[in-house]
Amino acid sequence: MCIFCKILNKEIPSNPISEDDKFLSFHDINPKAPIHVLIIPKIHIDSFNDVSPQMMADMTAFIQKLVEKLGIKEDGYRLITNIGEHGAQEVKHLHFHLLAGSRLKWGHFTDADPKNNL
Ligand code: 5GP
Ligand code: ZN
């Protein structure tokens, strides 16, 4: 069972923020910003590659509510989902990172030449 399924099963503790019947949000254990929250579906889906458009619609509504709850709508935030090897996805259970709480940097994603494919 994957680590996020263990969190959903309460075999591993987490610091939850919100949940409904389909999704859970909780604080990332290794935050990269003052606010770093993970949003996951309650059923195991490997990545964005496998999510249905309907589930993404429901997840969008869930994340928008979470943003309201956190009070970060006006100041802004960043949503990221890492996919597969090149996306550097470590946990193979679909999750969105919600990063906020200060102005984020827009950085250096790879050592490969970014102009290679222009
Ligand atoms: P990925 O690299 O797969 O997109 O991100 C996985 C994220 O899960 C990382 O930011 C990592 O800190 C977080 N993470 C890994 N294990 C745990 C855990 O047991 N609890 C929590 N709250 N976050 C975790
Ligand atoms: Zn899982």
Side-chain angles (χ1 to χ4, degrees), residues 31-92:
K32 303 268 194 301
I35 297 171
H36 187 170
V37 176
L38 301 174
I39 301 101
I40 64 172
K42 287 188 171 177
I43 59 165
H44 182 94
I45 294 171
D46 284 349
S47 81
F48 183 79
N49 280 338
D50 302 310
V51 72
S52 69
Q54 182 56 53
M55 178 166 284
M56 270 316 300
D58 293 342
M59 206 163 178
T60 298
F62 181 82
I63 294 171
Q64 287 172 338
K65 265 190 220 146
L66 173 65
V67 162
E68 295 273 2
K69 181 172 175 146
L70 293 170
I72 56 174
K73 189 174 176 178
E74 299 310 321
D75 283 341
Y77 53 93
R78 189 173 297 164
L79 277 174
I80 297 173
T81 187
N82 296 326
I83 300 131
E85 183 61 27
H86 281 191
Q89 181 183 5
E90 283 175 15
V91 178
K92 307 297 192 270

